[in-house]
Amino acid sequence: MMDLEYKCFNQVGSENDEKKYQTYLYRIAEQKEPSEYLRIEVGCWQNNQFTATSIINGLLINYNSSSSYNSQLSSQTIIQCPREFTGWDIIKTFETENYTLALCQQNNNLYLVGHEKQQHEAFIAAQVITNNDTLILATDDNGLFIEISNNQLKITLNDEVIAQETILNNNQETNAETLSDYQNASGLGGPSSVNNELREDAKQKESLFPEIDETFQPWFEFKEKLAQDSGLTFGIDYNFLYQNLSQSAGLDEASGGMFRVFGNWNLLGRNTDSPGSVVFKVENRHIFPKIAPQNLGFETGYVGLTGTQFGDFGWGVTNLYWQQKFNNGKISFVIGKVDPTDYVGIYGLTNPVTHFQNLAFLTDPSIAVPNQGLGIAVGAMLSDNIYFITGFSDANGEPTRDGFDTFFDDAEYFKHIELGYTSSFERRYFDNIHLTAWHIDEREKAQVPDSWGVAFSASWFIDDQWIPFLRMGYSEGDAALNERNISIGLGRYFSRNGDLLGVGLSWGKPATDGLENQVTSEAFYRIQMSQNWAITPSVQVIFDPALNPEKDVIAVFGIRSRLNF
């Protein structure tokens, strides 16, 4: 061993104790045939290479000569992180024919570590830059790039592919495990799109009442089996909102609910990089007398929506379209009955059932986005970081009608185009800077003139906890609520992305001539009571409501509950 110590450190003595602790490792040597004797290599890591190997013969206890080759592979699975990652936790392991790898985590830091099984020539310690349910990307300082996706491992060194192999043990779960097999993110949509709501709902979250989770576990096992057997993934939720005004010229409180059934049925190209799916969402939006939360702000003279989406149209179809992806969703299109708010001007906090409630912090009020109707949209990643979205939809869309008459006979459309920058495709609505331009035709029956505008948005997910944002918009015409709008704010995630704090401040100039500017603020805290139940208290403060110049400050107190299963 002294010879080994000298080869590793060019010296022998106690001064090497710390180095030995940090760098001495052992591994099972290559063994062509199973045997009760085991060859163990002892060495050290130098410049990402395993060097100075000494061979020690060992004896396997309770050796069974009938063991299969798969059991030999399992014996090589990494069971703890290397010495240089002491104190880190393994959250997932991967094996291919020639590689064994593990994902090591400490706080918010992730590294992909491992080595070749046979020759052990290349030790891997690459920092993870992307990690989600379907894709892991990692890189080191020496030009090594690793991608794990679609059950495949791909290793590139200085842009040259050196390995491309199938993952053999893809049944391992991570700390980001899901309750059911709902892991396909939409190629276009933001947080409120069907696919991404399914995916977010399925993530494991810390729970204050785990017994509730245990009760629903058989239901999620059923959903997972259904998804695996038929390609149908779906969710059901009920959302309730109560709001109360500190003062009002009319009604001072409102409450309403939304019952929704939504899903994605993968009918073509399952388990390929080009799946085709039917996406659907059926809703019942109702109120508990006397007014919908969506309209409560107007009771006090506020030009805006304090309870976005909590309206009263009864039953309606808000999504029913075909979604086709190519290249793992990096190119995709949707056609059918769409909700433009799913993919126009999105960022990481745009879902009104899980994030902010005021329209000023959701879809920009300077954009005249219509209701759900027939339409089409196309999106593509132009490079690793630049994306492009464009499309059009019925300017007179309504969820309670099929929309063929207004789409084809009235032929009045909302058009949009967006160019954006993101850190990676997988984080496109968390790390996102974009510019959106839009135009809406004159709506003759509604007597609304044609309008157009531009909007800018910048948000970035820092340490997977903080998401600051800045959003600005400008419009010409009377179709949008605001002529100009500026919003800033911050989101803070807690407890493995369960609890969420959000604060925002917005200034807006109404599009109607003669109205004064108004300022809106909102703060909310989403409490994850159980895996599938959240309660969100909130307060909104409106300064100088445009239609009520006699009032300086009005507060809107709210409580929201969401149960999904």
Side-chain angles (χ1 to χ4, degrees):
M1 295 298 291
M2 292 178 61
D3 179 61
L4 175 63
E5 186 174 354
Y6 181 80
K7 289 180 179 178
C8 281
F9 311 119
N10 296 318
Q11 58 182 348
V12 177
S14 60
E15 61 269 22
N16 294 325
D17 287 347
E18 184 176 353
K19 295 179 181 178
K20 285 186 286 187
Y21 175 79
Q22 293 176 345
T23 61
Y24 271 16
L25 292 171
Y26 66 89
R27 64 193 177 187
I28 300 172
E30 178 183 359
Q31 201 158 330
K32 299 296 185 183
E33 298 296 333
S35 170
E36 61 181 326
Y37 292 100
L38 190 68
R39 298 169 67 244
I40 301 174
E41 296 178 314
V42 180
C44 58
W45 298 110
Q46 295 290 331
N47 299 320
N48 291 331
Q49 298 288 328
F50 192 78
T51 60
T53 300
S54 295
I55 303 295
I56 300 173
N57 290 322
L59 180 67
L60 284 175
I61 300 175
N62 296 329
Y63 167 73
N64 184 352
S65 61
S66 64
S67 297
S68 67
Y69 181 66
N70 285 336
S71 67
Q72 295 178 55
L73 288 181
S74 298
S75 69
Q76 299 185 60
T77 300
I78 298 175
I79 60 174
Q80 68 181 42
C81 297
R83 290 285 181 90
E84 53 264 60
F85 293 94
T86 300
W88 292 52
D89 297 321
I90 286 183
I91 62 172
K92 192 167 186 176
T93 61
F94 306 91
E95 285 190 45
T96 69
E97 182 178 353
N98 296 304
Y99 287 85
T100 181
L101 302 166
L103 201 59
C104 290
Q105 181 179 36
Q106 186 181 70
N107 298 324
N108 293 319
N109 299 313
L110 286 170
Y111 269 81
L112 192 64
V113 302
H115 53 73
E116 293 183 58
K117 286 181 178 178
Q118 306 302 329
Q119 288 73 30
H120 302 279
E121 290 180 354
F123 174 69
I124 295 170
Q127 186 171 15
V128 174
I129 56 177
T130 294
N131 173 46
N132 58 40
D133 295 330
T134 57
L135 178 71
I136 294 174
L137 301 177
T139 184
D140 69 3
D141 296 331
N142 301 313
L144 191 71
F145 185 83
I146 305 165
E147 177 180 340
I148 299 176
S149 64
N150 294 321
N151 208 34
Q152 295 291 317
L153 167 69
K154 181 179 179 181
I155 303 178
T156 304
L157 182 61
N158 296 324
D159 297 326
E160 180 182 349
V161 177
I162 61 174
Q164 194 160 1
E165 302 182 8
T166 300
I167 302 294
L168 301 176
N169 67 328
N170 203 32
N171 59 343
Q172 301 288 333
E173 290 292 343
T174 74
N175 282 345
E177 63 189 293
T178 60
L179 292 179
S180 42
D181 190 23
Y182 293 3
Q183 300 179 0
N184 289 325
S186 169
L188 290 174
S192 62
S193 66
V194 167
N195 285 353
N196 285 328
E197 279 200 315
L198 290 170
R199 189 165 177 260
E200 288 299 313
D201 289 347
K203 283 185 176 179
Q204 284 282 14
K205 306 174 184 72
E206 291 185 353
S207 174
L208 297 178
F209 298 97
E211 57 273 14
I212 297 179
D213 303 335
E214 294 174 3
T215 301
F216 281 102
Q217 188 60 35
W219 168 253
F220 289 105
E221 291 174 355
F222 160 74
K223 288 175 63 179
E224 181 173 3
K225 187 176 188 306
L226 180 66
Q228 293 172 349
D229 293 344
S230 67
L232 174 62
T233 59
F234 73 96
I236 302 171
D237 71 358
Y238 186 79
N239 304 272
F240 170 81
L241 175 64
Y242 171 81
Q243 290 185 329
N244 182 278
L245 298 173
S246 62
Q247 52 186 316
S248 173
L251 299 174
D252 61 1
E253 64 178 355
S255 59
M258 287 192 293
F259 173 77
R260 310 187 304 173
V261 180
F262 51 96
N264 179 307
W265 194 358
N266 189 183
L267 298 177
L268 295 178
R270 287 183 63 189
N271 301 318
T272 72
D273 65 355
S274 301
S277 306
V278 172
V279 178
F280 61 90
K281 184 189 292 182
V282 179
E283 304 185 35
N284 182 288
R285 299 186 188 181
H286 49 274
I287 63 171
F288 303 100
K290 299 179 180 176
I291 188 174
Q294 182 165 282
N295 300 323
L296 183 62
F298 294 102
E299 291 292 305
T300 192
Y302 174 64
V303 179
L305 305 183
T306 60
T308 307
Q309 283 197 0
F310 283 84
D312 183 27
F313 59 61
W315 287 100
V317 177
T318 54
N319 280 168
L320 185 58
Y321 59 80
W322 180 263
Q323 175 179 268
Q324 183 65 53
K325 301 181 188 178
F326 304 96
N327 191 22
N328 291 315
K330 292 182 179 180
I331 302 173
S332 60
F333 72 85
V334 296
I335 182 170
K337 192 164 192 176
V338 300
D339 185 345
T341 62
D342 287 345
Y343 49 84
V344 175
I346 60 173
Y347 76 114
L349 299 172
T350 57
N351 192 340
V353 300
T354 57
H355 301 139
F356 287 100
Q357 198 63 69
N358 195 294
L359 183 68
F361 309 107
L362 298 167
T363 303
D364 192 315
S366 68
I367 303 177
V369 180
N371 291 329
Q372 301 86 354
L374 296 180
I376 185 171
V378 180
M381 293 296 295
L382 304 182
S383 69
D384 290 341
N385 305 110
I386 305 297
Y387 73 88
F388 170 82
I389 296 176
T390 187
F392 68 96
S393 61
D394 188 354
N396 299 293
E398 289 294 340
T400 55
R401 301 200 306 258
D402 58 37
F404 287 97
D405 54 346
T406 56
F407 185 85
F408 292 104
D409 297 339
D410 295 345
E412 298 165 352
Y413 305 114
F414 169 79
K415 291 88 67 178
H416 61 94
I417 185 170
E418 180 172 304
L419 187 66
Y421 175 87
T422 180
S423 62
S424 69
F425 172 68
E426 293 70 31
R427 295 171 67 91
R428 60 197 172 279
Y429 65 75
F430 283 117
D431 301 340
N432 184 293
I433 301 172
H434 68 255
L435 185 67
T436 303
W438 60 271
H439 175 269
I440 189 167
D441 294 334
E442 178 184 3
R443 298 169 59 198
E444 292 185 5
K445 294 178 181 178
Q447 296 183 340
V448 178
D450 69 314
S451 304
W452 64 271
V454 293
F456 170 82
S457 175
S459 63
W460 213 260
F461 207 12
I462 302 172
D463 293 333
D464 284 348
Q465 293 179 328
W466 304 91
I467 180 167
F469 63 87
L470 167 65
R471 292 162 65 79
M472 300 183 290
Y474 172 82
S475 70
E476 284 281 354
D478 294 333
L481 283 174
N482 283 356
E483 176 188 316
R484 281 175 278 173
N485 197 83
I486 301 175
S487 299
I488 60 173
L490 180 70
R492 169 66 161 92
Y493 282 90
F494 301 89
S495 304
R496 292 175 57 188
N497 290 353
D499 287 10
L500 172 64
L501 170 68
V503 293
L505 181 66
S506 176
W507 170 89
K509 176 178 174 54
T512 302
D513 292 337
L515 296 184
E516 296 296 326
N517 303 335
Q518 55 187 16
V519 175
T520 305
S521 65
E522 180 177 357
F524 71 88
Y525 190 88
R526 187 181 71 205
I527 307 168
Q528 202 68 43
M529 306 298 291
S530 70
Q531 169 66 40
N532 300 95
W533 176 35
I535 293 178
T536 308
S538 67
V539 59
Q540 302 174 41
V541 181
I542 300 167
F543 301 90
D544 303 321
L547 294 173
N548 191 356
E550 296 180 359
K551 300 297 182 182
D552 296 328
V553 180
I554 296 174
V556 185
F557 302 99
I559 184 75
R560 182 176 59 200
S561 175
R562 181 171 188 254
L563 177 65
N564 65 279
F565 46 90

